[in-house]
Amino acid sequence: MAIATAAPPSVPLVRGRQRRILSLQSRSTVLNWAGFSLIFVVTLVAIAVPLLAPHDPLVPVGMPLQAPGKEGFLLGSDSIGRDILSRVLYGIRSSWFAALVVVAVGLLFGGLIGLIAGATGGWVDSVLMRITDGFLSLPAPVLAIAVVAALGPSFVHTLVAVSIVWWPFYARLVRGEVARLAARPHVEAAKLAGVNRFRLARRHLLPGAVPNAVVAASLDIGTLILTLAALSFLGLGQSAPAAELGADSARNLSYFLQQWWVPVMPGLGVLVLALIGNIAGDSLRNLMKTS
């Protein structure tokens, strides 16, 4: 008895499916590039904040506690009549550049430690990784608070404290990537050819470890913004009357039930900024996967 078999799909149908798949992939790539470009957009906005802010964030320019949209205050005014929009813009500028600085310091210092450990191996690797493990074993927020409390509350001290607790993650990541690459045949061949360790690390190991480290750093931007805002909320950031998102929310919590916009608007600034950082990081990760 003959067995019925399904007819193969026609050529036009297959080509139509392929076109739809390519169209979806193209749209996904465009969306990922748009998401990643948010990093540059926010950076440009942060640079241009002195031109975009309608008022000086430190100077009272109107009646206190004006509701959003009244008396020319788009986001309202605070308890002494300062423009909340201007303070939020300057707070976004401060938080964004602070996160980028911590990421850059963590990548440079932690990446260097990881590169040396992975490329050298032996007792050097063991010593450096045990030091790294020591930092990783401590609760990062508690360690950051302790460092800021010891140095004294200030913007620079906050950056130092967060950088101290952040670099071990990059050290571990880069060391793992370097150790993985060191076992590749072309690296083994370079070692047998007599290539010195410095040149081997610079030409064969570091280029392979950089992409994953950069992706990890981009994913950390949103978390760093929240961490810095939390430290500022606890009073461990810049002193008053500096415009900081976390500090502005903390100082005005007493107005939450009556003039809700005074503490909420800086908090929304943190939310938007962290969301942009996460979207940009996810988009860069997706682009690296498809490249």
Side-chain angles (χ1 to χ4, degrees):
M1 185 173 69
I3 299 175
T5 58
S10 61
V11 173
L13 181 59
V14 173
R15 290 179 177 175
R17 289 176 179 174
Q18 291 176 343
R19 283 196 293 267
R20 284 196 295 271
I21 292 173
L22 291 175
S23 176
L24 290 174
Q25 291 176 343
S26 177
R27 291 177 184 176
S28 177
T29 301
V30 171
L31 290 175
N32 286 328
W33 276 111
F36 176 60
S37 66
L38 289 175
I39 290 180
F40 303 100
V41 173
V42 176
T43 301
L44 290 176
V45 170
I47 293 173
V49 159
L51 301 177
L52 298 175
H55 302 286
D56 188 325
L58 307 180
V59 178
V61 292
M63 294 295 295
L65 303 176
Q66 291 294 312
K70 292 185 178 181
E71 302 296 331
F73 295 110
L74 187 60
L75 299 184
S77 63
D78 65 6
S79 58
I80 61 174
R82 295 174 300 193
D83 180 40
I84 293 178
L85 174 59
S86 299
R87 293 188 64 80
V88 168
L89 287 174
Y90 273 90
I92 286 175
R93 183 192 196 196
S94 174
S95 298
W96 185 254
F97 285 137
L100 294 183
V101 167
V102 173
V103 164
V105 172
L107 273 178
L108 290 175
F109 186 73
L112 180 62
I113 296 296
L115 178 63
I116 293 173
T120 304
W123 68 269
V124 175
D125 180 22
S126 298
V127 170
L128 291 178
M129 287 302 100
R130 295 301 76 76
I131 294 173
T132 302
D133 291 341
F135 278 93
L136 289 173
S137 65
L138 298 172
V142 176
L143 181 58
I145 292 172
V147 172
V148 176
L151 298 177
S154 75
F155 184 65
V156 175
H157 293 167
T158 300
L159 294 184
V160 171
V162 178
S163 298
I164 288 174
V165 302
W166 221 264
W167 69 265
F169 300 102
Y170 301 124
R172 265 293 175 189
L173 174 63
V174 173
R175 187 263 180 189
E177 287 296 311
V178 169
R180 179 181 63 84
L181 293 170
R184 292 289 183 88
H186 69 282
V187 178
E188 293 290 344
K191 291 179 181 178
L192 294 175
V195 177
N196 62 65
R197 288 182 177 179
F198 176 76
R199 186 178 180 186
L200 187 71
R202 181 174 59 86
R203 297 195 60 180
H204 298 282
L205 300 178
L206 183 59
V210 164
N212 285 337
V214 171
V215 171
S218 66
L219 291 169
D220 281 347
I221 291 177
T223 305
L224 276 168
I225 290 169
L226 293 176
T227 301
L228 293 167
L231 292 175
S232 174
F233 186 89
L234 295 174
L236 300 176
Q238 301 182 72
S239 58
E244 272 196 326
L245 299 176
D248 279 358
S249 290
R251 294 174 192 140
N252 297 290
L253 279 179
S254 59
Y255 299 100
F256 182 74
L257 296 179
Q258 291 79 27
Q259 292 83 23
W260 57 267
W261 59 89
V262 183
V264 167
M265 292 304 178
L268 290 178
V270 175
L271 173 65
V272 171
L273 205 56
L275 181 62
I276 289 174
N278 288 332
I279 291 174
D282 287 338
S283 298
L284 178 59
R285 179 182 58 188
N286 294 335
L287 288 172
M288 296 296 293
K289 285 181 179 180
T290 57
S291 61

